[in-house]
Amino acid sequence: MNIPSDLLYTREHEWLKVIDDDTALIGITDYAQNSLGDITFVELPKAGRVLKSGATFGVVESVKAASDLYAPVDAVVLECNETAIGAPDSLNRDPYESGWLLRVKLADKGQLSVLLSPVDYAAHTAG
Amino acid sequence: MDFAGWEMPVQYKSILEEHRAVRTSVGLFDVSHMGEIVVRGPDAGRFLDHLVTNEIAKIAIGRVVYSPMCREDGGVVDDLLVSRRSEQDYLVCVNASNVERDYAWMRSRADDFDCAVDDQSDRWGLLAVQGPNAPALVQELADRPLDGVRYYHCAEAVVGGVPCLVSRTGYTGEPGYELFCPADETEALAVALEKAGAAHGLALCGLGARDSLRLEAGFSLYGHEISETISPIQAGLEWTVKFAKPAFVGREALLEQKTNGTARRVVFFKTGDRRIVRAGTPVLCAGSVVGEVLSGTLSPMLGEAMGSALIDTARLSDPLSVDLRGQPVALCTTKPPFVPLRKS
């Protein structure tokens, strides 16, 4: 299973990548896409939507199940990935790059310390 | 996943890829979990005709017939395939989860007939080879020409060194064969098919693709489109109920349903949307619940959701919809198959 070392993770299998001072990308992990199987539909919020840490912000559907997406931190949506919406299988093929879901503006960088490190996430998924 | 006591793969790699492989090249399914019940004796045909709704006794040797097996009230005990292997010898292929119940049901109704009913499920393996390249692949491994084995016919042949009952049937809507073989030789047959299949674009397929393929083809699945509470008449399978033959279990109830109609009917639908409408979802008409989704998934070939639902007959021509996470999605009822089938 692929767990890139430059990302932060949630127990609900989202990843967050800080790109500069206060913006970040959010997606689902390799473990998540593998557990879901073929992803068929992605529902994401519009730009401007305020995300609350731990609250649902969208849905990923696969042939097997529909799963809620949970905001890793408080943030405001800057952009959602139209490629992922148009080609949901990009989440299966490339969950950390072309399959990203949201670009967000972080509300409180202090919240990042609550997220899991790659090592902790590896332990979480192993257990 | 556990499936009727069998360890079964839902998918090997990707359900969508396995599905497309069967539509465009060839897929191999291990369906050894299916049950095999053998009925033999002078009255075997007459007994089966009494037991199931379709006509069996008069079929030619080498024919295969699909039929529901009903209770007196018209509810379905199981749906099955009957292959006539010789004058007095029929092989009945039944659903894995129903083997014991089917066997007990058949035994309990056999007293007045001179025939033996034998559950041989443990002795048979079953591999399905399905897709446009399936006939060429199976022929390559067979010891005799199979062109003469037409749709819904069967014959004996050695395939990949394994003696098989080769049946021109399947559950995908594609050309192909189901290969009944001795249980302990199933693996050798699978290995031979997989090895020779590489040149034909063969994919190993699991239960997930099997379900999306059969739904796209418009085939009923026991426990979904037909069940103890959904009769063949309600399921749109009138063609499998032969009222003109001698009396059979469920005849009166089914004739009553055919004559007077039924309160609910099975319909197939698509939505024009990628969101899957899953089994159990209530179906709405003008705000009230008028039915329930029986099967639902994404049609990999259409790229839109497809499914089946049990609907109040009085509302069949009204606009139907479901609520998906707060959003109404219209159901467009349609006559299956959802994609053109190439049966042969």
Side-chain angles (χ1 to χ4, degrees):
Chain A
M1 191 185 26
N2 183 8
I3 303 177
S5 58
D6 58 339
L7 306 181
L8 297 168
Y9 298 89
T10 70
R11 290 179 189 280
E12 289 75 34
H13 309 289
E14 288 88 12
W15 56 261
L16 182 144
K17 179 182 192 176
V18 178
I19 19 183
D20 59 33
D21 195 39
D22 62 354
T23 61
L25 292 180
I26 293 170
I28 65 165
T29 66
D30 187 38
Y31 177 92
Q33 71 78 19
N34 190 51
S35 309
L36 284 164
D38 292 290
I39 292 170
T40 54
F41 181 79
V42 184
E43 191 175 293
L44 296 175
K46 302 254 182 299
R49 191 45 203 276
V50 175
L51 305 184
K52 205 72 196 147
S53 172
T56 62
F57 69 80
V59 175
V60 170
E61 271 196 17
S62 74
V63 173
K64 288 189 211 161
S67 295
D68 286 331
L69 294 162
Y70 298 94
V73 292
D74 294 349
V76 177
V77 177
L78 298 174
E79 181 190 2
C80 68
N81 184 0
E82 295 297 336
T83 307
I85 293 171
D89 61 330
S90 60
L91 275 71
N92 290 119
R93 284 185 282 106
D94 197 11
Y96 297 114
E97 297 290 338
S98 64
W100 63 274
L101 296 176
L102 300 180
R103 191 163 66 84
V104 300
K105 185 177 168 62
L106 300 171
D108 173 7
K109 288 177 67 182
Q111 290 179 337
L112 297 177
S113 62
V114 180
L115 298 178
L116 300 179
S117 70
V119 171
D120 290 340
Y121 182 65
H124 173 62
T125 52
Chain B
M1 68 177 279
D2 178 72
F3 185 84
W6 293 71
E7 185 76 25
M8 296 293 294
V10 171
Q11 64 192 92
Y12 289 88
K13 283 183 190 151
S14 150
I15 292 173
L16 298 181
E17 279 175 34
E18 291 165 24
H19 183 112
R20 289 188 199 105
V22 172
R23 291 271 179 254
T24 58
S25 54
V26 56
L28 174 62
F29 303 80
D30 180 355
V31 282
S32 298
H33 61 296
M34 301 292 284
E36 291 83 12
I37 297 173
V38 168
V39 182
R40 275 198 197 110
D43 286 343
R46 209 164 62 81
F47 168 62
L48 286 166
D49 255 345
H50 169 70
L51 206 61
V52 307
T53 61
N54 212 333
E55 192 153 31
I56 306 295
K58 286 181 184 166
I59 64 173
I61 292 167
R63 269 295 322 259
V64 183
V65 170
Y66 169 80
S67 183
M69 175 167 71
C70 286
R71 304 188 307 206
E72 282 78 3
D73 68 358
V76 181
V77 179
D78 201 1
D79 63 334
L80 36 87
L81 283 179
V82 182
S83 305
R84 187 171 193 181
R85 301 177 70 195
S86 66
E87 189 62 33
Q88 299 185 3
D89 185 353
Y90 297 81
L91 179 74
V92 182
C93 182
V94 303
N95 284 299
S97 46
N98 295 340
V99 177
E100 285 173 27
R101 194 176 59 157
D102 290 350
Y103 183 54
W105 177 268
M106 292 166 82
R107 287 285 295 264
S108 72
R109 277 154 187 80
D111 290 350
D112 298 336
F113 299 90
D114 184 7
C115 62
V117 180
D118 185 14
D119 178 10
Q120 298 190 351
S121 300
D122 293 345
R123 280 190 254 161
W124 292 88
L126 181 59
L127 300 178
V129 189
Q130 301 278 299
N133 297 349
L137 168 59
V138 176
Q139 184 63 74
E140 197 177 302
L141 295 174
D143 69 336
R144 48 158 288 194
L146 297 174
D147 325 352
V149 186
R150 289 173 293 132
Y151 192 55
Y152 271 78
H153 284 72
C154 63
E156 287 182 19
V158 176
V159 181
V162 176
C164 295
L165 179 69
V166 177
S167 181
R168 245 312 270 112
T169 51
Y171 202 35
T172 62
E174 293 296 327
Y177 295 102
E178 292 180 299
L179 306 174
F180 294 87
C181 66
D184 58 2
E185 294 186 71
T186 316
E187 191 178 348
L189 179 59
V191 168
L193 286 164
E194 196 182 353
K195 199 172 160 198
H200 296 271
L202 180 130
L204 296 179
C205 299
L207 288 178
R210 190 168 164 82
D211 192 50
S212 55
L213 286 156
R214 72 89 194 165
L215 187 55
E216 219 174 53
F219 297 151
S220 299
L221 175 62
Y222 190 80
H224 290 254
E225 288 75 25
I226 45 170
S227 67
E228 288 192 341
T229 55
I230 307 176
S231 78
I233 304 293
Q234 288 171 291
L237 296 170
E238 287 98 333
W239 65 273
T240 65
V241 185
K242 300 290 160 55
F243 292 108
K245 72 170 184 172
F248 57 91
V249 181
R251 185 180 189 278
E252 287 70 28
L254 294 171
L255 188 58
E256 194 274 330
Q257 290 184 12
K258 183 186 157 77
T259 309
N260 299 326
T262 57
R264 304 181 104 188
R265 294 274 306 188
V266 175
V267 296
F268 289 81
F269 65 83
K270 46 189 184 174
T271 66
D273 189 293
R274 286 184 68 89
R275 276 173 293 178
I276 291 173
V277 186
R278 294 176 204 274
T281 306
V283 176
L284 307 170
C285 179
S288 36
V289 175
V290 298
E292 182 186 1
V293 174
L294 302 168
S295 296
T297 191
L298 182 82
S299 163
M301 306 314 283
L302 298 180
E304 65 178 292
M306 62 176 173
S308 65
L310 188 64
I311 304 291
D312 293 348
T313 309
R315 314 304 283 273
L316 281 178
S317 51
D318 296 340
L320 303 173
S321 67
V322 290
D323 179 283
L324 291 185
R325 301 187 295 273
Q327 290 176 350
V329 172
L331 304 186
C332 316
T333 56
T334 179
K335 197 170 145 47
F338 291 95
V339 296
L341 302 185
R342 285 172 296 209
K343 289 185 250 181
S344 47

